[in-house]
Amino acid sequence: MTSTGDGKATNGPFPLHQAATRPVGEQPAAVGGNEGERLGYRGPTACAAAGITYRQLDYWARTGLVEPSVRAASGSGTQRLYSFRDVVVLKIVKRLLDTGVSLQNIRTAVQHLRSRELDALPQMTLMSDGATVYECTSPDEVVDLLQGGQGVFGIAVGVVWRDVEAALSQLHAERLDTGETLVREHPGDELARRRNRAG
């Protein structure tokens, strides 16, 4: 387990800023398609899947809190494009902010989440005592943290991952190799069509 902040834990938990991590290239997940597909998501889609407003998304991108790893906005007419990992991070940032974690610790947590291999994220749990954010990768580490009186709340990254995956499977995506937009059938779209036909 690792954590952010100045707090130190014993018997396994380590602060995130002390974690031995290495940066890795961004690998957008294949959500709702073949494994070989590399997909990106525009701002409104990322907002819908992460449960945030466009104003939050824009502010976080402009301040460098969560920048799109696929394509940044580079002037008038260009749109940001977010990876699957970006959307998971956006949803986690919202949860951390909602629970009162400091922006400094959230920035450290974002850097940590971006540095980990994509397939390691679903096994991760983020715990916080409000001042420090810890990464737990096993149930024993969660118990150790709780017994130390440090853990107040936790975010199971795997649950966030599945929530984002389910949301994105019903939202439009863009293939990175061709730029083609994948239009998905959203349950709300069918409802709107039925209403239009009835009216």
Side-chain angles (χ1 to χ4, degrees), residues 77-116:
T78 61
Q79 292 193 16
R80 298 181 185 106
L81 204 59
Y82 291 82
S83 71
F84 176 77
R85 180 200 301 256
D86 295 337
V87 181
V88 170
V89 170
L90 287 167
K91 194 171 183 75
I92 290 171
V93 166
K94 182 182 188 308
R95 290 193 179 180
L96 291 172
L97 282 170
D98 287 348
T99 53
V101 174
S102 75
L103 194 57
Q104 178 183 352
N105 282 332
I106 291 174
R107 285 187 184 279
T108 304
V110 167
Q111 291 169 358
H112 184 72
L113 289 166
R114 287 194 177 282
S115 73
R116 297 297 301 273

PDB file of all heavy atoms in Angstrom, residues 77-116:
ATOM      1  N   GLY A  77     -11.825  25.232 -32.314  1.00  0.00           N
ATOM      2  CA  GLY A  77     -12.313  24.180 -33.205  1.00  0.00           C
ATOM      3  C   GLY A  77     -11.802  22.787 -32.902  1.00  0.00           C
ATOM      4  O   GLY A  77     -12.340  21.812 -33.411  1.00  0.00           O
ATOM      5  N   THR A  78     -10.761  22.661 -32.065  1.00  0.00           N
ATOM      6  CA  THR A  78     -10.266  21.322 -31.730  1.00  0.00           C
ATOM      7  C   THR A  78     -10.921  20.855 -30.437  1.00  0.00           C
ATOM      8  O   THR A  78     -11.264  21.663 -29.579  1.00  0.00           O
ATOM      9  CB  THR A  78      -8.733  21.293 -31.558  1.00  0.00           C
ATOM     10  OG1 THR A  78      -8.380  22.164 -30.486  1.00  0.00           O
ATOM     11  CG2 THR A  78      -8.024  21.720 -32.825  1.00  0.00           C
ATOM     12  N   GLN A  79     -11.099  19.560 -30.325  1.00  0.00           N
ATOM     13  CA  GLN A  79     -11.733  19.007 -29.140  1.00  0.00           C
ATOM     14  C   GLN A  79     -10.772  18.091 -28.408  1.00  0.00           C
ATOM     15  O   GLN A  79     -10.015  17.354 -29.030  1.00  0.00           O
ATOM     16  CB  GLN A  79     -12.978  18.203 -29.540  1.00  0.00           C
ATOM     17  CG  GLN A  79     -14.082  19.073 -30.077  1.00  0.00           C
ATOM     18  CD  GLN A  79     -15.394  18.305 -30.159  1.00  0.00           C
ATOM     19  OE1 GLN A  79     -15.555  17.249 -29.561  1.00  0.00           O
ATOM     20  NE2 GLN A  79     -16.330  18.844 -30.901  1.00  0.00           N
ATOM     21  N   ARG A  80     -10.829  18.167 -27.076  1.00  0.00           N
ATOM     22  CA  ARG A  80     -10.029  17.254 -26.268  1.00  0.00           C
ATOM     23  C   ARG A  80     -10.539  15.831 -26.473  1.00  0.00           C
ATOM     24  O   ARG A  80     -11.721  15.605 -26.682  1.00  0.00           O
ATOM     25  CB  ARG A  80     -10.139  17.613 -24.789  1.00  0.00           C
ATOM     26  CG  ARG A  80      -9.632  18.993 -24.433  1.00  0.00           C
ATOM     27  CD  ARG A  80      -9.772  19.241 -22.940  1.00  0.00           C
ATOM     28  NE  ARG A  80      -9.400  20.585 -22.586  1.00  0.00           N
ATOM     29  CZ  ARG A  80     -10.269  21.538 -22.263  1.00  0.00           C
ATOM     30  NH1 ARG A  80     -11.558  21.273 -22.244  1.00  0.00           N
ATOM     31  NH2 ARG A  80      -9.855  22.744 -21.956  1.00  0.00           N
ATOM     32  N   LEU A  81      -9.605  14.881 -26.369  1.00  0.00           N
ATOM     33  CA  LEU A  81      -9.972  13.477 -26.480  1.00  0.00           C
ATOM     34  C   LEU A  81      -9.338  12.742 -25.304  1.00  0.00           C
ATOM     35  O   LEU A  81      -8.123  12.774 -25.111  1.00  0.00           O
ATOM     36  CB  LEU A  81      -9.484  12.904 -27.812  1.00  0.00           C
ATOM     37  CG  LEU A  81     -10.217  11.682 -28.357  1.00  0.00           C
ATOM     38  CD1 LEU A  81     -11.705  11.977 -28.571  1.00  0.00           C
ATOM     39  CD2 LEU A  81      -9.584  11.208 -29.658  1.00  0.00           C
ATOM     40  N   TYR A  82     -10.193  12.083 -24.512  1.00  0.00           N
ATOM     41  CA  TYR A  82      -9.767  11.414 -23.286  1.00  0.00           C
ATOM     42  C   TYR A  82      -9.687   9.911 -23.495  1.00  0.00           C
ATOM     43  O   TYR A  82     -10.476   9.334 -24.240  1.00  0.00           O
ATOM     44  CB  TYR A  82     -10.752  11.717 -22.148  1.00  0.00           C
ATOM     45  CG  TYR A  82     -10.703  13.153 -21.689  1.00  0.00           C
ATOM     46  CD1 TYR A  82     -11.389  14.145 -22.371  1.00  0.00           C
ATOM     47  CD2 TYR A  82      -9.956  13.524 -20.575  1.00  0.00           C
ATOM     48  CE1 TYR A  82     -11.340  15.468 -21.966  1.00  0.00           C
ATOM     49  CE2 TYR A  82      -9.898  14.849 -20.159  1.00  0.00           C
ATOM     50  CZ  TYR A  82     -10.589  15.808 -20.858  1.00  0.00           C
ATOM     51  OH  TYR A  82     -10.527  17.121 -20.451  1.00  0.00           O
ATOM     52  N   SER A  83      -8.746   9.267 -22.807  1.00  0.00           N
ATOM     53  CA  SER A  83      -8.641   7.810 -22.826  1.00  0.00           C
ATOM     54  C   SER A  83      -9.538   7.217 -21.755  1.00  0.00           C
ATOM     55  O   SER A  83     -10.068   7.933 -20.892  1.00  0.00           O
ATOM     56  CB  SER A  83      -7.192   7.375 -22.554  1.00  0.00           C
ATOM     57  OG  SER A  83      -6.861   7.623 -21.196  1.00  0.00           O
ATOM     58  N   PHE A  84      -9.707   5.904 -21.785  1.00  0.00           N
ATOM     59  CA  PHE A  84     -10.476   5.212 -20.753  1.00  0.00           C
ATOM     60  C   PHE A  84      -9.875   5.496 -19.383  1.00  0.00           C
ATOM     61  O   PHE A  84     -10.584   5.807 -18.427  1.00  0.00           O
ATOM     62  CB  PHE A  84     -10.492   3.707 -21.031  1.00  0.00           C
ATOM     63  CG  PHE A  84     -11.178   2.911 -19.969  1.00  0.00           C
ATOM     64  CD1 PHE A  84     -12.559   2.867 -19.901  1.00  0.00           C
ATOM     65  CD2 PHE A  84     -10.452   2.208 -19.029  1.00  0.00           C
ATOM     66  CE1 PHE A  84     -13.211   2.136 -18.903  1.00  0.00           C
ATOM     67  CE2 PHE A  84     -11.080   1.473 -18.033  1.00  0.00           C
ATOM     68  CZ  PHE A  84     -12.467   1.437 -17.978  1.00  0.00           C
ATOM     69  N   ARG A  85      -8.549   5.414 -19.265  1.00  0.00           N
ATOM     70  CA  ARG A  85      -7.888   5.689 -17.986  1.00  0.00           C
ATOM     71  C   ARG A  85      -8.202   7.108 -17.511  1.00  0.00           C
ATOM     72  O   ARG A  85      -8.486   7.322 -16.339  1.00  0.00           O
ATOM     73  CB  ARG A  85      -6.366   5.524 -18.099  1.00  0.00           C
ATOM     74  CG  ARG A  85      -5.642   5.798 -16.777  1.00  0.00           C
ATOM     75  CD  ARG A  85      -4.169   6.105 -16.952  1.00  0.00           C
ATOM     76  NE  ARG A  85      -3.448   5.045 -17.590  1.00  0.00           N
ATOM     77  CZ  ARG A  85      -2.634   4.195 -16.961  1.00  0.00           C
ATOM     78  NH1 ARG A  85      -2.465   4.293 -15.660  1.00  0.00           N
ATOM     79  NH2 ARG A  85      -1.987   3.276 -17.627  1.00  0.00           N
ATOM     80  N   ASP A  86      -8.176   8.072 -18.428  1.00  0.00           N
ATOM     81  CA  ASP A  86      -8.486   9.457 -18.068  1.00  0.00           C
ATOM     82  C   ASP A  86      -9.863   9.562 -17.427  1.00  0.00           C
ATOM     83  O   ASP A  86     -10.049  10.272 -16.435  1.00  0.00           O
ATOM     84  CB  ASP A  86      -8.466  10.364 -19.307  1.00  0.00           C
ATOM     85  CG  ASP A  86      -7.107  10.499 -19.949  1.00  0.00           C
ATOM     86  OD1 ASP A  86      -6.085  10.276 -19.273  1.00  0.00           O
ATOM     87  OD2 ASP A  86      -7.064  10.836 -21.151  1.00  0.00           O
ATOM     88  N   VAL A  87     -10.847   8.856 -18.021  1.00  0.00           N
ATOM     89  CA  VAL A  87     -12.218   8.940 -17.515  1.00  0.00           C
ATOM     90  C   VAL A  87     -12.316   8.314 -16.128  1.00  0.00           C
ATOM     91  O   VAL A  87     -12.995   8.830 -15.238  1.00  0.00           O
ATOM     92  CB  VAL A  87     -13.219   8.309 -18.506  1.00  0.00           C
ATOM     93  CG1 VAL A  87     -14.645   8.420 -17.977  1.00  0.00           C
ATOM     94  CG2 VAL A  87     -13.115   8.979 -19.874  1.00  0.00           C
ATOM     95  N   VAL A  88     -11.612   7.193 -15.917  1.00  0.00           N
ATOM     96  CA  VAL A  88     -11.571   6.575 -14.585  1.00  0.00           C
ATOM     97  C   VAL A  88     -10.968   7.562 -13.581  1.00  0.00           C
ATOM     98  O   VAL A  88     -11.503   7.762 -12.483  1.00  0.00           O
ATOM     99  CB  VAL A  88     -10.768   5.254 -14.614  1.00  0.00           C
ATOM    100  CG1 VAL A  88     -10.514   4.739 -13.196  1.00  0.00           C
ATOM    101  CG2 VAL A  88     -11.503   4.195 -15.432  1.00  0.00           C
ATOM    102  N   VAL A  89      -9.876   8.220 -13.969  1.00  0.00           N
ATOM    103  CA  VAL A  89      -9.220   9.192 -13.084  1.00  0.00           C
ATOM    104  C   VAL A  89     -10.155  10.372 -12.797  1.00  0.00           C
ATOM    105  O   VAL A  89     -10.243  10.839 -11.653  1.00  0.00           O
ATOM    106  CB  VAL A  89      -7.877   9.668 -13.689  1.00  0.00           C
ATOM    107  CG1 VAL A  89      -7.303  10.846 -12.906  1.00  0.00           C
ATOM    108  CG2 VAL A  89      -6.869   8.523 -13.728  1.00  0.00           C
ATOM    109  N   LEU A  90     -10.876  10.841 -13.804  1.00  0.00           N
ATOM    110  CA  LEU A  90     -11.827  11.939 -13.593  1.00  0.00           C
ATOM    111  C   LEU A  90     -12.861  11.574 -12.533  1.00  0.00           C
ATOM    112  O   LEU A  90     -13.177  12.375 -11.650  1.00  0.00           O
ATOM    113  CB  LEU A  90     -12.543  12.282 -14.909  1.00  0.00           C
ATOM    114  CG  LEU A  90     -11.730  13.016 -15.964  1.00  0.00           C
ATOM    115  CD1 LEU A  90     -12.467  12.997 -17.301  1.00  0.00           C
ATOM    116  CD2 LEU A  90     -11.435  14.451 -15.538  1.00  0.00           C
ATOM    117  N   LYS A  91     -13.393  10.360 -12.613  1.00  0.00           N
ATOM    118  CA  LYS A  91     -14.412   9.925 -11.658  1.00  0.00           C
ATOM    119  C   LYS A  91     -13.824   9.804 -10.250  1.00  0.00           C
ATOM    120  O   LYS A  91     -14.463  10.158  -9.264  1.00  0.00           O
ATOM    121  CB  LYS A  91     -15.016   8.599 -12.110  1.00  0.00           C
ATOM    122  CG  LYS A  91     -16.297   8.219 -11.383  1.00  0.00           C
ATOM    123  CD  LYS A  91     -16.945   7.003 -12.031  1.00  0.00           C
ATOM    124  CE  LYS A  91     -18.268   6.642 -11.390  1.00  0.00           C
ATOM    125  NZ  LYS A  91     -19.359   7.554 -11.778  1.00  0.00           N
ATOM    126  N   ILE A  92     -12.576   9.327 -10.146  1.00  0.00           N
ATOM    127  CA  ILE A  92     -11.916   9.213  -8.845  1.00  0.00           C
ATOM    128  C   ILE A  92     -11.639  10.601  -8.260  1.00  0.00           C
ATOM    129  O   ILE A  92     -11.843  10.841  -7.064  1.00  0.00           O
ATOM    130  CB  ILE A  92     -10.622   8.384  -8.960  1.00  0.00           C
ATOM    131  CG1 ILE A  92     -10.986   6.916  -9.231  1.00  0.00           C
ATOM    132  CG2 ILE A  92      -9.760   8.515  -7.705  1.00  0.00           C
ATOM    133  CD1 ILE A  92      -9.809   6.037  -9.586  1.00  0.00           C
ATOM    134  N   VAL A  93     -11.197  11.536  -9.107  1.00  0.00           N
ATOM    135  CA  VAL A  93     -10.940  12.905  -8.644  1.00  0.00           C
ATOM    136  C   VAL A  93     -12.220  13.507  -8.068  1.00  0.00           C
ATOM    137  O   VAL A  93     -12.196  14.143  -7.002  1.00  0.00           O
ATOM    138  CB  VAL A  93     -10.387  13.783  -9.786  1.00  0.00           C
ATOM    139  CG1 VAL A  93     -10.445  15.268  -9.427  1.00  0.00           C
ATOM    140  CG2 VAL A  93      -8.956  13.380 -10.109  1.00  0.00           C
ATOM    141  N   LYS A  94     -13.333  13.317  -8.752  1.00  0.00           N
ATOM    142  CA  LYS A  94     -14.599  13.845  -8.238  1.00  0.00           C
ATOM    143  C   LYS A  94     -14.904  13.271  -6.854  1.00  0.00           C
ATOM    144  O   LYS A  94     -15.294  14.000  -5.943  1.00  0.00           O
ATOM    145  CB  LYS A  94     -15.737  13.537  -9.197  1.00  0.00           C
ATOM    146  CG  LYS A  94     -17.075  14.115  -8.707  1.00  0.00           C
ATOM    147  CD  LYS A  94     -18.220  13.785  -9.606  1.00  0.00           C
ATOM    148  CE  LYS A  94     -19.494  14.523  -9.208  1.00  0.00           C
ATOM    149  NZ  LYS A  94     -19.871  14.380  -7.804  1.00  0.00           N
ATOM    150  N   ARG A  95     -14.710  11.973  -6.696  1.00  0.00           N
ATOM    151  CA  ARG A  95     -14.993  11.348  -5.389  1.00  0.00           C
ATOM    152  C   ARG A  95     -14.060  11.875  -4.311  1.00  0.00           C
ATOM    153  O   ARG A  95     -14.481  12.109  -3.178  1.00  0.00           O
ATOM    154  CB  ARG A  95     -14.887   9.830  -5.506  1.00  0.00           C
ATOM    155  CG  ARG A  95     -16.021   9.242  -6.317  1.00  0.00           C
ATOM    156  CD  ARG A  95     -16.105   7.756  -6.179  1.00  0.00           C
ATOM    157  NE  ARG A  95     -17.219   7.238  -6.963  1.00  0.00           N
ATOM    158  CZ  ARG A  95     -17.536   5.968  -7.040  1.00  0.00           C
ATOM    159  NH1 ARG A  95     -16.829   5.066  -6.391  1.00  0.00           N
ATOM    160  NH2 ARG A  95     -18.567   5.569  -7.763  1.00  0.00           N
ATOM    161  N   LEU A  96     -12.784  12.059  -4.640  1.00  0.00           N
ATOM    162  CA  LEU A  96     -11.826  12.584  -3.663  1.00  0.00           C
ATOM    163  C   LEU A  96     -12.187  14.015  -3.269  1.00  0.00           C
ATOM    164  O   LEU A  96     -12.142  14.382  -2.089  1.00  0.00           O
ATOM    165  CB  LEU A  96     -10.400  12.508  -4.214  1.00  0.00           C
ATOM    166  CG  LEU A  96      -9.805  11.111  -4.373  1.00  0.00           C
ATOM    167  CD1 LEU A  96      -8.472  11.169  -5.110  1.00  0.00           C
ATOM    168  CD2 LEU A  96      -9.627  10.423  -3.018  1.00  0.00           C
ATOM    169  N   LEU A  97     -12.547  14.836  -4.254  1.00  0.00           N
ATOM    170  CA  LEU A  97     -12.949  16.215  -3.961  1.00  0.00           C
ATOM    171  C   LEU A  97     -14.209  16.244  -3.102  1.00  0.00           C
ATOM    172  O   LEU A  97     -14.308  17.031  -2.161  1.00  0.00           O
ATOM    173  CB  LEU A  97     -13.198  16.983  -5.266  1.00  0.00           C
ATOM    174  CG  LEU A  97     -11.961  17.466  -6.013  1.00  0.00           C
ATOM    175  CD1 LEU A  97     -12.346  17.991  -7.389  1.00  0.00           C
ATOM    176  CD2 LEU A  97     -11.219  18.539  -5.225  1.00  0.00           C
ATOM    177  N   ASP A  98     -15.159  15.373  -3.417  1.00  0.00           N
ATOM    178  CA  ASP A  98     -16.418  15.332  -2.664  1.00  0.00           C
ATOM    179  C   ASP A  98     -16.202  14.963  -1.198  1.00  0.00           C
ATOM    180  O   ASP A  98     -17.012  15.313  -0.340  1.00  0.00           O
ATOM    181  CB  ASP A  98     -17.395  14.337  -3.297  1.00  0.00           C
ATOM    182  CG  ASP A  98     -17.980  14.847  -4.610  1.00  0.00           C
ATOM    183  OD1 ASP A  98     -17.805  16.047  -4.919  1.00  0.00           O
ATOM    184  OD2 ASP A  98     -18.600  14.041  -5.334  1.00  0.00           O
ATOM    185  N   THR A  99     -15.111  14.236  -0.915  1.00  0.00           N
ATOM    186  CA  THR A  99     -14.845  13.819   0.466  1.00  0.00           C
ATOM    187  C   THR A  99     -13.872  14.754   1.178  1.00  0.00           C
ATOM    188  O   THR A  99     -13.485  14.492   2.309  1.00  0.00           O
ATOM    189  CB  THR A  99     -14.309  12.376   0.507  1.00  0.00           C
ATOM    190  OG1 THR A  99     -13.191  12.266  -0.360  1.00  0.00           O
ATOM    191  CG2 THR A  99     -15.375  11.385   0.076  1.00  0.00           C
ATOM    192  N   GLY A 100     -13.466  15.820   0.511  1.00  0.00           N
ATOM    193  CA  GLY A 100     -12.664  16.838   1.170  1.00  0.00           C
ATOM    194  C   GLY A 100     -11.165  16.633   1.153  1.00  0.00           C
ATOM    195  O   GLY A 100     -10.441  17.285   1.908  1.00  0.00           O
ATOM    196  N   VAL A 101     -10.663  15.746   0.282  1.00  0.00           N
ATOM    197  CA  VAL A 101      -9.216  15.558   0.177  1.00  0.00           C
ATOM    198  C   VAL A 101      -8.602  16.807  -0.455  1.00  0.00           C
ATOM    199  O   VAL A 101      -9.188  17.405  -1.366  1.00  0.00           O
ATOM    200  CB  VAL A 101      -8.891  14.298  -0.664  1.00  0.00           C
ATOM    201  CG1 VAL A 101      -7.397  14.152  -0.905  1.00  0.00           C
ATOM    202  CG2 VAL A 101      -9.438  13.052   0.041  1.00  0.00           C
ATOM    203  N   SER A 102      -7.437  17.214   0.031  1.00  0.00           N
ATOM    204  CA  SER A 102      -6.794  18.434  -0.467  1.00  0.00           C
ATOM    205  C   SER A 102      -6.386  18.284  -1.926  1.00  0.00           C
ATOM    206  O   SER A 102      -6.072  17.190  -2.399  1.00  0.00           O
ATOM    207  CB  SER A 102      -5.557  18.769   0.366  1.00  0.00           C
ATOM    208  OG  SER A 102      -4.491  17.896   0.049  1.00  0.00           O
ATOM    209  N   LEU A 103      -6.380  19.413  -2.623  1.00  0.00           N
ATOM    210  CA  LEU A 103      -6.013  19.417  -4.037  1.00  0.00           C
ATOM    211  C   LEU A 103      -4.592  18.901  -4.243  1.00  0.00           C
ATOM    212  O   LEU A 103      -4.313  18.188  -5.218  1.00  0.00           O
ATOM    213  CB  LEU A 103      -6.166  20.828  -4.598  1.00  0.00           C
ATOM    214  CG  LEU A 103      -6.144  20.963  -6.112  1.00  0.00           C
ATOM    215  CD1 LEU A 103      -7.218  20.107  -6.761  1.00  0.00           C
ATOM    216  CD2 LEU A 103      -6.313  22.418  -6.508  1.00  0.00           C
ATOM    217  N   GLN A 104      -3.685  19.239  -3.327  1.00  0.00           N
ATOM    218  CA  GLN A 104      -2.296  18.769  -3.430  1.00  0.00           C
ATOM    219  C   GLN A 104      -2.242  17.235  -3.395  1.00  0.00           C
ATOM    220  O   GLN A 104      -1.553  16.611  -4.185  1.00  0.00           O
ATOM    221  CB  GLN A 104      -1.459  19.354  -2.298  1.00  0.00           C
ATOM    222  CG  GLN A 104      -0.012  18.873  -2.318  1.00  0.00           C
ATOM    223  CD  GLN A 104       0.783  19.429  -1.132  1.00  0.00           C
ATOM    224  OE1 GLN A 104       0.306  20.271  -0.395  1.00  0.00           O
ATOM    225  NE2 GLN A 104       1.989  18.934  -0.966  1.00  0.00           N
ATOM    226  N   ASN A 105      -2.988  16.623  -2.474  1.00  0.00           N
ATOM    227  CA  ASN A 105      -3.005  15.171  -2.387  1.00  0.00           C
ATOM    228  C   ASN A 105      -3.704  14.541  -3.583  1.00  0.00           C
ATOM    229  O   ASN A 105      -3.316  13.462  -4.044  1.00  0.00           O
ATOM    230  CB  ASN A 105      -3.670  14.712  -1.085  1.00  0.00           C
ATOM    231  CG  ASN A 105      -2.735  14.846   0.100  1.00  0.00           C
ATOM    232  OD1 ASN A 105      -1.522  14.764  -0.054  1.00  0.00           O
ATOM    233  ND2 ASN A 105      -3.292  15.043   1.273  1.00  0.00           N
ATOM    234  N   ILE A 106      -4.732  15.226  -4.109  1.00  0.00           N
ATOM    235  CA  ILE A 106      -5.403  14.708  -5.299  1.00  0.00           C
ATOM    236  C   ILE A 106      -4.456  14.730  -6.484  1.00  0.00           C
ATOM    237  O   ILE A 106      -4.402  13.776  -7.268  1.00  0.00           O
ATOM    238  CB  ILE A 106      -6.692  15.508  -5.587  1.00  0.00           C
ATOM    239  CG1 ILE A 106      -7.730  15.205  -4.503  1.00  0.00           C
ATOM    240  CG2 ILE A 106      -7.246  15.165  -6.971  1.00  0.00           C
ATOM    241  CD1 ILE A 106      -8.988  16.045  -4.586  1.00  0.00           C
ATOM    242  N   ARG A 107      -3.681  15.798  -6.628  1.00  0.00           N
ATOM    243  CA  ARG A 107      -2.706  15.860  -7.730  1.00  0.00           C
ATOM    244  C   ARG A 107      -1.706  14.703  -7.635  1.00  0.00           C
ATOM    245  O   ARG A 107      -1.357  14.079  -8.633  1.00  0.00           O
ATOM    246  CB  ARG A 107      -1.960  17.197  -7.718  1.00  0.00           C
ATOM    247  CG  ARG A 107      -2.773  18.349  -8.228  1.00  0.00           C
ATOM    248  CD  ARG A 107      -1.941  19.621  -8.357  1.00  0.00           C
ATOM    249  NE  ARG A 107      -2.746  20.739  -8.767  1.00  0.00           N
ATOM    250  CZ  ARG A 107      -3.107  20.997 -10.021  1.00  0.00           C
ATOM    251  NH1 ARG A 107      -2.707  20.186 -10.989  1.00  0.00           N
ATOM    252  NH2 ARG A 107      -3.859  22.037 -10.306  1.00  0.00           N
ATOM    253  N   THR A 108      -1.250  14.411  -6.418  1.00  0.00           N
ATOM    254  CA  THR A 108      -0.309  13.307  -6.222  1.00  0.00           C
ATOM    255  C   THR A 108      -0.982  11.983  -6.569  1.00  0.00           C
ATOM    256  O   THR A 108      -0.378  11.116  -7.215  1.00  0.00           O
ATOM    257  CB  THR A 108       0.209  13.289  -4.777  1.00  0.00           C
ATOM    258  OG1 THR A 108       0.798  14.557  -4.484  1.00  0.00           O
ATOM    259  CG2 THR A 108       1.257  12.210  -4.584  1.00  0.00           C
ATOM    260  N   ALA A 109      -2.241  11.828  -6.165  1.00  0.00           N
ATOM    261  CA  ALA A 109      -2.974  10.601  -6.478  1.00  0.00           C
ATOM    262  C   ALA A 109      -3.154  10.442  -7.981  1.00  0.00           C
ATOM    263  O   ALA A 109      -3.008   9.336  -8.524  1.00  0.00           O
ATOM    264  CB  ALA A 109      -4.327  10.606  -5.772  1.00  0.00           C
ATOM    265  N   VAL A 110      -3.448  11.548  -8.686  1.00  0.00           N
ATOM    266  CA  VAL A 110      -3.608  11.501 -10.142  1.00  0.00           C
ATOM    267  C   VAL A 110      -2.307  11.051 -10.806  1.00  0.00           C
ATOM    268  O   VAL A 110      -2.303  10.183 -11.688  1.00  0.00           O
ATOM    269  CB  VAL A 110      -4.054  12.876 -10.695  1.00  0.00           C
ATOM    270  CG1 VAL A 110      -3.918  12.939 -12.206  1.00  0.00           C
ATOM    271  CG2 VAL A 110      -5.498  13.168 -10.280  1.00  0.00           C
ATOM    272  N   GLN A 111      -1.184  11.629 -10.375  1.00  0.00           N
ATOM    273  CA  GLN A 111       0.113  11.236 -10.934  1.00  0.00           C
ATOM    274  C   GLN A 111       0.379   9.754 -10.694  1.00  0.00           C
ATOM    275  O   GLN A 111       0.885   9.047 -11.562  1.00  0.00           O
ATOM    276  CB  GLN A 111       1.231  12.086 -10.333  1.00  0.00           C
ATOM    277  CG  GLN A 111       1.197  13.533 -10.759  1.00  0.00           C
ATOM    278  CD  GLN A 111       2.151  14.408  -9.959  1.00  0.00           C
ATOM    279  OE1 GLN A 111       2.829  13.942  -9.046  1.00  0.00           O
ATOM    280  NE2 GLN A 111       2.199  15.694 -10.296  1.00  0.00           N
ATOM    281  N   HIS A 112       0.021   9.294  -9.516  1.00  0.00           N
ATOM    282  CA  HIS A 112       0.232   7.886  -9.167  1.00  0.00           C
ATOM    283  C   HIS A 112      -0.628   6.976 -10.040  1.00  0.00           C
ATOM    284  O   HIS A 112      -0.150   5.970 -10.572  1.00  0.00           O
ATOM    285  CB  HIS A 112      -0.081   7.669  -7.690  1.00  0.00           C
ATOM    286  CG  HIS A 112       0.199   6.279  -7.222  1.00  0.00           C
ATOM    287  ND1 HIS A 112       1.472   5.790  -7.063  1.00  0.00           N
ATOM    288  CD2 HIS A 112      -0.641   5.260  -6.906  1.00  0.00           C
ATOM    289  CE1 HIS A 112       1.413   4.529  -6.657  1.00  0.00           C
ATOM    290  NE2 HIS A 112       0.141   4.194  -6.552  1.00  0.00           N
ATOM    291  N   LEU A 113      -1.910   7.326 -10.203  1.00  0.00           N
ATOM    292  CA  LEU A 113      -2.806   6.519 -11.030  1.00  0.00           C
ATOM    293  C   LEU A 113      -2.333   6.477 -12.481  1.00  0.00           C
ATOM    294  O   LEU A 113      -2.443   5.455 -13.149  1.00  0.00           O
ATOM    295  CB  LEU A 113      -4.234   7.076 -10.963  1.00  0.00           C
ATOM    296  CG  LEU A 113      -4.960   6.880  -9.634  1.00  0.00           C
ATOM    297  CD1 LEU A 113      -6.203   7.752  -9.565  1.00  0.00           C
ATOM    298  CD2 LEU A 113      -5.309   5.410  -9.417  1.00  0.00           C
ATOM    299  N   ARG A 114      -1.787   7.584 -12.968  1.00  0.00           N
ATOM    300  CA  ARG A 114      -1.305   7.629 -14.348  1.00  0.00           C
ATOM    301  C   ARG A 114      -0.013   6.828 -14.531  1.00  0.00           C
ATOM    302  O   ARG A 114       0.282   6.362 -15.620  1.00  0.00           O
ATOM    303  CB  ARG A 114      -1.076   9.078 -14.781  1.00  0.00           C
ATOM    304  CG  ARG A 114      -2.363   9.835 -15.022  1.00  0.00           C
ATOM    305  CD  ARG A 114      -2.062  11.119 -15.762  1.00  0.00           C
ATOM    306  NE  ARG A 114      -3.246  11.869 -16.091  1.00  0.00           N
ATOM    307  CZ  ARG A 114      -4.072  11.598 -17.092  1.00  0.00           C
ATOM    308  NH1 ARG A 114      -3.847  10.545 -17.851  1.00  0.00           N
ATOM    309  NH2 ARG A 114      -5.111  12.357 -17.339  1.00  0.00           N
ATOM    310  N   SER A 115       0.759   6.674 -13.458  1.00  0.00           N
ATOM    311  CA  SER A 115       2.053   5.986 -13.571  1.00  0.00           C
ATOM    312  C   SER A 115       1.920   4.468 -13.501  1.00  0.00           C
ATOM    313  O   SER A 115       2.834   3.750 -13.876  1.00  0.00           O
ATOM    314  CB  SER A 115       3.010   6.473 -12.483  1.00  0.00           C
ATOM    315  OG  SER A 115       2.622   5.961 -11.224  1.00  0.00           O
ATOM    316  N   ARG A 116       0.789   3.990 -13.007  1.00  0.00           N
ATOM    317  CA  ARG A 116       0.602   2.551 -12.858  1.00  0.00           C
ATOM    318  C   ARG A 116       0.173   1.911 -14.168  1.00  0.00           C
ATOM    319  O   ARG A 116      -0.477   2.547 -14.995  1.00  0.00           O
ATOM    320  CB  ARG A 116      -0.466   2.270 -11.791  1.00  0.00           C
ATOM    321  CG  ARG A 116      -0.104   2.754 -10.404  1.00  0.00           C
ATOM    322  CD  ARG A 116       1.130   2.064  -9.837  1.00  0.00           C
ATOM    323  NE  ARG A 116       0.959   0.620  -9.751  1.00  0.00           N
ATOM    324  CZ  ARG A 116       0.429  -0.020  -8.735  1.00  0.00           C
ATOM    325  NH1 ARG A 116       0.024   0.654  -7.670  1.00  0.00           N
ATOM    326  NH2 ARG A 116       0.313  -1.328  -8.753  1.00  0.00           N
TER     327      ARG A 116
END
